[in-house]
Amino acid sequence: MDKSEKIALGLSGFMLLIFFGGIMYAAIAEDIEVPTCITDMEPFATDTLFQTGPDTYELQMVARMWAFQPSEIRLPVGSTVDLYLTSQDIMHGFKIEDHNLNLMAIPGAINYMRVTFDKPGTFLFACHEFCGAAHHTMAGRVIIEERSESAETAGGV
Amino acid sequence: MSTETFRFSKSLKNLNALLIIIPMILLFVGVYGGLMQTLFRAGIIQSDPFMGGDYYKGLTIHGVLNAVVFTTFFAVALANALIPFSLKKALNSKMAWTSGILMLVGSVMAGFMMLIGEATVLYTFYPPLKAHPLFYIGLTLLVIGSWVAFASYIPMYLSWRKENPDKKTPLAVVGMLTTFIVWFIATLAVAVEILFMLLPWSLGLVDEINVMLARTLFWMFGHPLVYFWLLPAYVMYYSFMPKLADGKLFSDMAGRLVFMMFVVFSVPVGTHHQYMDPAIGSQWKLLHGVFTFAVALPSLITAFTLAASLEYAGRKRGGKGLFGWITKLPYFDKEKWFFSYLIAGLVIFIFGGISGIVNASYQMNTVVHNTAWIPGHFHLTVAGPVLLAFLGGSMYLIHQFLSKPVKMKGWTLSVPYIYTIGVFIFSWGMMRGGLLGMPRRTNTGASYANPDSVLYQPDWMPYIDISVVGGVIMFIAIVIYIVAFFATVFAKSESTEEEAVITFPISEPLHDEPSTWLRNFKPFIIITAILIILSYTPVIYDVVTSTYGGSLPYSPDSPVPLR
Ligand code: HEM
Ligand SMILES: [Cu+2]
Ligand SMILES: [Cu+2]
């Protein structure tokens, strides 16, 4: 092997190690994770939102052709939400604008991610997996209010 | 320098010409669909004259024809030419025809079902959206056809090895066999998905399907699929490009190492497409992420080896100084038109590779998953270097098999450069829009890009429009190519022979090492099998144990199940 080749190989490996270190740092030190396998949750078919602590909520969300339930979520700024998501029919996708929350909604499985809303505003969530003819109209909004007293949702059943 | 040639019988010549010409027509249909999609997405049109108003039907056709049909045909056509040429052994004519016919029949079946709207399920065909059974059967026939082709190469390779015990297998053959080994292992997973899950369910023999399991099997196939696209391009980069630039391949061993690494790491990485999925433990996703980084390594080695080979060529052509060699390469030499297809693709691939590492980076995937960033990324890979190498390769093969002169050489030479400009603009629009949250696989023109809709997103508009500009330029480049391609097909033949005499620009190595440990596929295939079992057993276990209930089939048009 030529010397330059060895150097190139070494540098490439080193670069990938650094990237990997970044991933591990984010996972361990910053607790930024991807969804994992959820086994301690009963399957649900309707949406619910309830408060679990001073600034914490649990939201059970349902995706179906062609709406999210709830389609509008109002929360005070600073809320942390344990968000559970499932689908009632086919695959859908859920990502909240400007937030690190991105979940596939899949029938027969419950997906979960925690998200904190630390700035006020209105944030779109648009379905991002093809789910049939009206897929492009399947969307909703999270509205984060400056100092609202309580959380509420709309568009549920 | 003596140019080696190899003679193909008339029947094989005709077969190979068919395997190149027919997918070219299908590619054009698919690319037309691509142009329409960019226009739909921007709200410029609501219906197109040929495919109607269904965006998602067009998108299915675009994905299947371009990314599955065209690529599979080309891989078989290239192997059908390159393996006999390199080993000096005739192809088994019966098997070659069987494979070609299976692939054609399968593609026509799948294509017809998509066209009549009975298979609007996109190229990933995720259940519980259900396609017509003939769509799944068509895809199966396409795959089986490619397996038959692969099976015909194995005895040629084995007997060559027996006859030449001390020689290294030609690198091009190693590359093509790697392509088909990766493909074979990958398609086993999708064969299980189709034959044991989708087909019986779509025929109504079973009622319900486990959606997560089907999806996981799909991606067990879906990631190696991208290497099946990439590997024939790598074969052309390693074997042809240095020679076309009047240089040598910097390191023969690097090439062999790269191919073996692809055999090992192509499959146990599939859940990196499922980072945002439920029912799979995040630790297993991380493991697949680690292997994904491992499979980035051969591409980095390739970047170095090819750059070093081109530097050698550029210096031989009189390039001086640290970077002077870059200016001396035959970018605009009409006789070396093939070079432009390879070099333009390599430049695009720098950006495809970088964005790919972003996607692969575990948590970072949260930002980009299923946004328009993703199609932005893969038009810089499969619709970039892979497409250009395959177009260059198709032109070269048709010119060789039909002994016709390449027509419109100036235009042919400029296609990759025009396309590169287009795809950079297109992908910039898509990726930037994706970062703002614009979803992929979405007819934005009917909602988010429609000022009359409550969903209108004005801040996405500039990027949607940018992707229109890029898409139009890409389309123009392809139209020029198709015209030149058919001008070549219908040109007057330069030969009076019925048979075809073929040659390829095969590069010699600059550094040639014995690399005995890289000569045999067997140990690498065994490692692969072990890695697949280790990386997929826990994933499948998680999926099976944490999902509940099955899914009835759905049509894309109604929220009520079909039965
Ligand atoms: C003129 C050239 C092309 C244009 C304008 C174009 C345009 C597009 C657009 C706008 C999308 C995204 C649609 C969406 O996510 O809603 C797309 C998706 C896609 N394109 Fe292309 N494309 C072109 C060529 C190609 C080629 C040559 C290939 C492959 C060899 C290709 C493979 C794909 C694939 C696999 C998808 C994903 C389909 C899906 O998400 O189901 N494209 N293309
Ligand atoms: Cu959707
Ligand atoms: Cu992948």
Side-chain angles (χ1 to χ4, degrees):
Chain A
M1 216 188 231
D2 193 71
K3 204 176 107 216
S4 58
E5 219 174 343
K6 282 187 189 144
I7 296 174
L9 193 60
L11 284 177
S12 306
F14 184 64
M15 182 180 83
L16 291 173
L17 272 182
I18 295 201
F19 289 171
F20 183 66
I23 290 176
M24 292 316 289
Y25 175 82
I28 294 165
E30 303 283 331
D31 199 26
I32 309 176
E33 266 288 351
V34 302
T36 190
C37 190
I38 299 293
T39 48
D40 55 355
M41 182 84 183
E42 281 300 308
F44 54 90
T46 50
D47 58 300
T48 31
L49 172 72
F50 53 90
Q51 196 153 4
T52 51
D55 294 314
T56 54
Y57 299 85
E58 181 173 319
L59 173 60
Q60 295 175 8
M61 212 170 168
V62 177
R64 49 169 46 123
M65 290 157 95
W66 291 279
F68 289 104
Q69 293 165 341
S71 63
E72 193 181 294
I73 306 160
R74 279 175 194 276
L75 290 166
V77 86
S79 304
T80 295
V81 180
D82 284 314
L83 198 152
Y84 292 89
L85 175 68
T86 190
S87 164
Q88 280 304 296
D89 39 46
I90 68 178
M91 285 186 201
H92 305 272
F94 179 74
K95 177 179 193 298
I96 302 179
E97 191 183 13
D98 281 350
H99 289 80
N100 287 331
L101 183 129
N102 196 334
L103 293 168
M104 294 304 297
I106 294 182
I110 295 169
N111 212 348
Y112 163 79
M113 229 185 200
R114 172 174 290 179
V115 59
T116 298
F117 297 98
D118 41 22
K119 56 178 186 269
T122 301
F123 305 101
L124 177 79
F125 48 85
C127 177
H128 64 48
E129 185 55 83
F130 171 60
C131 59
H135 157 60
H136 45 266
T137 62
M138 180 167 167
R141 286 190 168 88
V142 183
I143 299 162
I144 302 300
E145 286 163 338
E146 204 63 80
R147 20 173 215 92
S148 145
E149 292 313 305
S150 67
E152 57 182 273
T153 64
V157 239
Chain B
M1 203 175 291
S2 72
T3 44
E4 281 183 43
T5 57
F6 186 75
R7 192 174 280 272
F8 282 77
S9 70
K10 188 180 167 204
S11 138
L12 285 173
K13 159 184 156 174
N14 290 339
L15 171 71
N16 280 323
L18 273 184
L19 291 182
I20 298 159
I21 294 172
I22 292 180
M24 204 51 79
I25 300 167
L26 298 179
L27 176 78
F28 187 67
V29 175
V31 164
Y32 167 80
L35 176 70
M36 290 304 126
Q37 276 146 230
T38 58
L39 301 179
F40 267 101
R41 289 177 78 256
I44 297 171
I45 58 170
Q46 275 77 41
S47 175
D48 93 73
F50 297 106
M51 289 187 204
D54 189 346
Y55 180 84
Y56 303 105
K57 181 169 114 183
L59 187 58
T60 308
I61 292 174
H62 180 74
V64 172
L65 290 189
N66 291 351
V68 181
V69 175
F70 169 69
T71 49
T72 308
F73 271 87
F74 181 78
V76 170
L78 184 67
N80 272 352
L82 204 46
I83 293 178
F85 167 82
S86 307
L87 300 181
K88 303 284 171 279
K89 285 187 179 301
L91 204 56
N92 178 329
S93 188
K94 269 205 198 96
M95 285 176 91
W97 273 99
T98 311
S99 102
I101 290 171
L102 283 171
M103 287 171 38
L104 276 178
V105 171
S107 306
V108 169
M109 273 161 76
F112 183 71
M113 285 302 142
M114 292 187 292
L115 211 59
I116 62 171
E118 287 290 329
T120 301
V121 291
L122 304 192
Y123 85 107
T124 45
F125 47 84
Y126 296 140
L129 275 178
K130 186 187 81 73
H132 194 284
L134 286 180
F135 174 76
Y136 303 115
I137 295 174
L139 291 183
T140 309
L141 294 182
L142 175 68
V143 168
I144 293 178
S146 67
W147 285 358
V148 173
F150 180 34
S152 75
Y153 310 142
I154 296 173
M156 296 164 71
Y157 167 69
L158 292 180
S159 77
W160 187 92
R161 288 279 307 256
K162 208 172 263 158
E163 291 157 17
N164 301 277
D166 316 317
K167 279 201 209 156
K168 282 194 280 189
T169 314
L171 186 59
V173 175
V174 174
M176 288 320 299
L177 289 177
T178 301
T179 308
F180 281 90
I181 291 171
V182 167
W183 176 242
F184 182 72
I185 300 175
T187 45
L188 285 177
V190 79
V192 170
E193 186 201 355
I194 292 185
L195 297 180
F196 296 111
M197 300 181 75
L198 292 173
L199 197 53
W201 169 80
S202 128
L203 287 167
L205 304 177
V206 295
D207 269 343
E208 296 186 338
I209 195 165
N210 183 327
V211 174
M212 257 315 280
L213 184 60
R215 182 177 160 90
T216 304
L217 287 171
F218 180 85
W219 283 114
M220 196 169 167
F221 153 77
H223 188 80
L225 170 68
V226 316
Y227 292 122
F228 174 68
W229 298 334
L230 200 56
L231 282 163
Y234 273 34
V235 169
M236 292 188 266
Y237 289 148
Y238 277 97
S239 302
F240 305 163
M241 191 154 88
K243 174 83 174 192
L244 289 169
D246 303 320
K248 290 183 173 176
L249 177 63
F250 187 75
S251 163
D252 171 81
M253 187 167 105
R256 288 170 201 272
L257 177 65
V258 162
F259 287 128
M260 290 305 170
M261 288 184 77
F262 276 120
V263 170
V264 171
F265 290 117
S266 285
V267 189
V269 296
T271 50
H272 69 210
H273 293 262
Q274 298 179 278
Y275 282 142
M276 300 303 133
D277 276 21
I280 299 175
S282 57
Q283 70 277 32
W284 311 124
K285 294 176 177 173
L286 185 64
L287 179 70
H288 283 234
V290 172
F291 287 142
T292 307
F293 275 17
V295 83
L297 201 55
S299 289
L300 291 167
I301 301 175
T302 300
F304 172 78
T305 308
L306 296 177
S309 309
L310 292 177
E311 176 177 352
Y312 174 82
R315 291 199 187 286
K316 248 182 61 184
R317 298 166 68 98
K320 299 260 170 337
L322 201 50
F323 294 113
W325 57 272
I326 296 178
T327 60
K328 296 287 180 197
L329 297 171
Y331 305 106
F332 298 106
D333 181 344
K334 277 194 194 173
E335 295 316 307
K336 300 252 169 73
W337 57 269
F338 198 172
F339 184 77
S340 69
Y341 285 79
L342 301 177
I343 190 73
L346 272 185
V347 173
I348 300 175
F349 198 37
I350 297 173
F351 300 92
I354 294 173
S355 52
I357 290 188
V358 170
N359 305 344
S361 294
Y362 197 62
Q363 312 93 335
M364 208 166 339
N365 188 261
T366 315
V367 181
V368 296
H369 173 73
N370 262 6
T371 66
W373 165 283
I374 301 296
H377 151 74
F378 63 65
H379 284 80
L380 298 173
T381 55
V382 66
V386 171
L387 174 76
L388 290 178
F390 286 19
L391 291 182
S394 295
M395 186 70 105
Y396 185 82
L397 287 172
I398 205 72
H399 138 77
Q400 287 281 314
F401 274 108
L402 300 183
S403 353
K404 306 246 174 132
V406 173
K407 289 283 169 186
M408 301 167 56
K409 276 203 185 126
W411 283 109
T412 301
L413 171 106
S414 50
V415 163
Y417 301 126
I418 302 173
Y419 189 86
T420 303
I421 295 170
V423 81
F424 276 154
I425 298 174
F426 172 79
S427 286
W428 172 44
M430 297 294 277
M431 294 169 88
R432 191 66 187 76
L435 293 179
L436 293 178
M438 189 202 295
R440 73 180 283 200
R441 305 184 136 180
T442 302
N443 182 8
T444 49
S447 54
Y448 308 108
N450 176 1
D452 300 329
S453 162
V454 287
L455 292 173
Y456 184 54
Q457 300 291 315
D459 53 332
W460 295 0
M461 285 317 292
Y463 301 108
I464 295 182
D465 292 338
I466 286 170
S467 72
V468 174
V469 174
V472 169
I473 300 175
M474 288 155 77
F475 182 73
I476 292 172
I478 301 290
V479 169
I480 298 172
Y481 175 86
I482 295 280
V483 172
F485 178 84
F486 282 101
T488 303
V489 169
F490 294 114
K492 214 165 117 40
S493 177
E494 285 170 329
S495 151
T496 49
E497 283 193 69
E498 293 223 303
E499 300 187 332
V501 181
I502 302 293
T503 184
F504 282 106
I506 302 288
S507 313
E508 285 168 39
L510 182 64
H511 298 283
D512 198 6
E513 282 161 83
S515 26
T516 36
W517 60 288
L518 290 168
R519 286 194 192 185
N520 199 336
F521 280 109
K522 208 179 275 165
F524 296 96
I525 295 178
I526 293 171
I527 300 174
T528 310
I530 296 172
L531 284 187
I532 294 174
I533 291 169
L534 286 180
S535 63
Y536 263 104
T537 309
V539 170
I540 303 274
Y541 176 84
D542 275 0
V543 167
V544 171
T545 54
S546 67
T547 51
Y548 51 86
S551 287
L552 296 168
Y554 282 82
S555 112
D557 300 319
S558 158
V560 182
L562 287 167
R563 40 170 195 261

